[in-house]
């Protein structure tokens, strides 16, 4: 019988791509989401998952549910026998987290505690957690491997990722029948190559590539490049951009790792290559055939000069490696943007 996997936050950008890969790999994903970062479709499903159904020609099991609602979680675990959980739900806007720290800690920490308690109560002790390279803070050396010190980030969003990692590590130490894979994402971009699902930020995008794509499509006039006086080749920030489909496949590899009774494992999901803001603008101009106007402005508080992964451990232990390069990431992002100039909503 196919294994049922609970996917929290499965209607979002990364979540919907994970759901698609799970279906392709023969799992039965059960998605919960509270529509914080997802648009409602024509029926009970989020629009992102309605599109996943169209791509894979199979139904997606979905329930509207907030992870801070412990009673609803209990009910859900009574209804389904899960073999593992992909935990992606949480608040994720760095700037907003500085303004609303309690909100971020309430949702991300309380939500995760409720989830872990419910899992424990129902004997489901396998989890893949969506962490972030932000836990490394300002890199002391590059590329970043998993042994680099953590906890150095300065905003509540990043700290919440670090605290959750620590909680899960402590739980695995205390109870040997727990298995966890903590995935430290670098910078996910791009979209499924169908162009039917992709990133759909609400309001003004905080992250670079959704913003660049909106400039290319004519929704925004120009990009603000946050500083060109960093110690990098062209002075702009360098990041490790990874295709979201590669990232999603990393979750399937992590699920397989749990089967080995691995205890608590931590992996970077990145490509190992860093690109500057201006290199990204250039790559997107190539993919779109459009000029992308930009102006250099002040640095953004909290940004580091360079951040890229050593992804060797994931290749060694998960048998996973990013397959797609920069051109493919930009081509797929552009297809999604062009086919959906206003994202999942109709206007
Ligand atoms: C950001 C978050 C990080 C989070 C990650 C994924 C901050 C400080 N960090 O990472 O915690 O895990 O997103 O959601 O927000 N840039 C511009 N102009 C823009 C936007 C970005 O020049 O309009 C530059 C940034 O200075 C940076 C690069 O582009 O050098 C990438 O920025 P972004 O996409 O926001 O990702 P991170 O800052 O790496």
């Amino acid at each position: 019988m196919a294994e049922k996997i609970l996917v929290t936050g499965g209607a979002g950008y990364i979540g919907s791509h994970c759901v698609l890969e799970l279906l392709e790999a023969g799992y039965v994903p059960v998605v919960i989401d509270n529509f914080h970062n997802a648009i409602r479709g024509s029926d009970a499903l989020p629009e992102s998952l309605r599109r996943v159904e169209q791509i894979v020609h199979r139904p997606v099991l979905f329930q509207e549910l907030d992870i801070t609602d412990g009673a609803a979680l209990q009910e859900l675990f009574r209804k389904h026998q899960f073999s593992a959980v992909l935990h992606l739900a949480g608040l994720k806007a760095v700037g907003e987290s500085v303004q609303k720290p309690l909100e971020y800690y309430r949702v991300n920490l309380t939500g995760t505690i409720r989830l872990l308690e419910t899992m424990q109560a129902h004997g489901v002790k396998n989890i893949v957690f969506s962490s972030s390279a932000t836990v490394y803070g300002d890199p002391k050396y590059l590329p970043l491997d998993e042994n680099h010190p953590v906890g150095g980030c300065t905003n509540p969003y990043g700290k919440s990722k670090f605290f959750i990692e620590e909680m899960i590590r402590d739980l695995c130490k205390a109870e040997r029948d727990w298995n966890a894979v903590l995935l430290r994402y670098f910078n996910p971009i791009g979209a499924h190559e169908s162009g039917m699902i992709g990133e759909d930020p609400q309001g003004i995008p905080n992250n670079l590539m959704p913003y660049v794509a909106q400039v290319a499509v004519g929704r925004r006039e120009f990009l603000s490049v946050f500083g060109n006086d960093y110690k990098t080749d062209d002075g702009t920030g360098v990041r490790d951009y990874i295709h979201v489909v590669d990232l999603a496949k990393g979750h399937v590899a992590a699920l397989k790792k749990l089967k080995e009774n691995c205890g608590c494992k931590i992996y970077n999901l990145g490509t190992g290559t860093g690109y500057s803001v201006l290199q990204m603008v250039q790559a997107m101009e190539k993919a779109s055939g459009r000029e992308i106007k930009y102006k250099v402005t002040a640095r953004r508080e909290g940004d580091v000069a360079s951040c890229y992964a050593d992804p060797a451990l994931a290749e060694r232990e998960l048998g996973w490696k990013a397959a797609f390069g920069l051109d493919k990431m930009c081509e797929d992002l552009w297809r999604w943007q062009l086919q959906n100039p206003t994202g999942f909503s109709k206007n």
Side-chain angles (χ1 to χ4, degrees), residues 18 28 40 53 91 141-142 151 180 244 267 305-306 343:
C18 286
V28 176
R40 284 174 202 277
E53 286 189 336
L91 297 177
Y141 59 83
L142 289 165
V244 66
Y267 300 105
S306 297

Side-chain angles (χ1 to χ4, degrees), residues 2-3 118 121 154 185 205 211 285 291:
E3 286 180 42
T118 312
T154 53
Y185 306 160
Y211 202 104
E285 284 187 330
E291 188 197 352

Side-chain angles (χ1 to χ4, degrees), residues 70-144:
L73 277 176
Q74 290 284 356
E75 188 65 30
L76 180 80
F77 275 73
R78 272 196 290 272
K79 206 157 83 187
H80 300 278
Q81 183 63 54
F82 299 119
S83 61
V85 176
L86 295 190
H87 178 33
L88 294 96
L91 297 177
K92 56 161 194 173
V94 175
E96 186 186 55
S97 80
V98 177
Q99 307 304 320
K100 304 177 182 173
L102 282 184
E103 179 76 352
Y104 271 66
Y105 290 129
R106 184 182 64 82
V107 172
N108 293 5
L109 298 185
T110 315
T112 303
I113 292 169
R114 297 259 152 81
L115 176 68
L116 292 169
E117 284 173 343
T118 312
M119 290 173 68
Q120 192 168 41
H122 291 265
V124 181
K125 298 186 174 182
N126 295 308
I127 185 165
V128 177
F129 173 61
S130 168
S131 188
S132 167
T134 197
V135 299
Y136 294 122
D138 203 350
K140 297 195 174 9
Y141 59 83
L142 289 165
L144 289 158

Side-chain angles (χ1 to χ4, degrees), residues 132-168:
S132 167
T134 197
V135 299
Y136 294 122
D138 203 350
K140 297 195 174 9
Y141 59 83
L142 289 165
L144 289 158
D145 59 34
E146 291 81 354
N147 293 319
H148 184 284
V150 288
C153 50
T154 53
N155 60 79
Y157 156 76
K159 286 185 199 171
S160 76
K161 291 290 177 192
F162 168 64
F163 295 154
I164 294 169
E165 282 198 1
E166 292 294 300
M167 256 167 20
I168 295 175

